[in-house]
Amino acid sequence: MAKQIYPCLWFDGQAKAAASYYCSIFKESKILSENPIVVQFELKGAIFMALNGGPKYKFTPATSFVIECDTQNEIDYYWEELGKGGRYDQCGWLDDKFGVSWQIVPSILHELMADPVKAPGVIDAFMKMSKFDIEALKNA
């Protein structure tokens, strides 16, 4: 298989608006091609397709996109930008204004969770968080 696997996101007539929105948030992003039915775009090297498929299907948190952030500033940026007009949830999850689910997580979380002594405190701390707080996790 020579080509990359990529997701197709089903929108109700908002494919271009969604692609433009995501490209405005992520640096190194662009719309690759578009027609009335499909918009193909790239976010930080990852290909996505947005489809104007109609009202039949809706997004759920059962599928989400994970953004690993190295700094609190990155977490704050993606949390605010993707969450505008959407819905914030627990443990770094949010739904954007189109209903697409995102997880905004610190990249250090894997390391913290791998420490069997520290992991229970980290889990307890992040279960109480909406937006992740890196310092609070480190100090848990």
Side-chain angles (χ1 to χ4, degrees), residues 11-84:
F11 295 93
D12 184 9
Q14 298 175 304
K16 175 65 187 272
S20 295
Y21 176 69
Y22 300 135
C23 286
S24 75
I25 292 172
F26 293 90
K27 295 175 183 155
E28 303 167 29
S29 299
K30 60 188 172 194
I31 293 178
L32 301 172
S33 64
E34 63 181 284
N35 62 55
I37 298 172
V38 171
V39 179
Q40 192 171 51
F41 60 104
E42 181 179 318
L43 303 179
K44 298 186 73 63
I47 305 284
F48 291 79
M49 180 172 36
L51 170 71
N52 282 319
K56 185 173 182 178
Y57 298 113
K58 304 288 182 213
F59 297 107
T60 76
T63 301
S64 61
F65 295 99
V66 178
I67 303 171
E68 287 192 347
C69 300
D70 292 332
T71 67
Q72 189 65 46
N73 284 342
E74 286 180 320
I75 288 174
D76 295 345
Y77 171 77
Y78 289 113
W79 186 257
E80 295 305 319
E81 292 300 312
L82 287 167
K84 285 180 190 171

Side-chain angles (χ1 to χ4, degrees), residues 1-16:
M1 184 171 74
K3 297 285 185 177
Q4 171 186 359
I5 295 172
Y6 58 90
C8 175
L9 305 174
W10 182 296
F11 295 93
D12 184 9
Q14 298 175 304
K16 175 65 187 272

Side-chain angles (χ1 to χ4, degrees), residues 37-139:
I37 298 172
V38 171
V39 179
Q40 192 171 51
F41 60 104
E42 181 179 318
L43 303 179
K44 298 186 73 63
I47 305 284
F48 291 79
M49 180 172 36
L51 170 71
N52 282 319
K56 185 173 182 178
Y57 298 113
K58 304 288 182 213
F59 297 107
T60 76
T63 301
S64 61
F65 295 99
V66 178
I67 303 171
E68 287 192 347
C69 300
D70 292 332
T71 67
Q72 189 65 46
N73 284 342
E74 286 180 320
I75 288 174
D76 295 345
Y77 171 77
Y78 289 113
W79 186 257
E80 295 305 319
E81 292 300 312
L82 287 167
K84 285 180 190 171
R87 185 181 67 82
Y88 296 105
D89 209 339
Q90 184 178 347
C91 303
W93 289 67
L94 64 85
D95 292 342
D96 67 29
K97 66 184 181 179
F98 298 101
V100 176
S101 292
W102 299 84
Q103 295 181 57
I104 316 301
V105 300
S107 55
I108 195 171
L109 188 60
H110 299 289
E111 178 184 327
L112 295 172
M113 295 294 291
D115 181 337
V117 174
K118 197 156 185 65
V122 172
I123 292 169
D124 185 54
F126 79 61
M127 290 301 290
K128 297 173 185 165
M129 295 178 185
S130 183
K131 177 176 71 173
F132 276 113
D133 178 331
I134 293 175
E135 282 307 308
L137 293 173
K138 287 180 179 178
N139 295 325

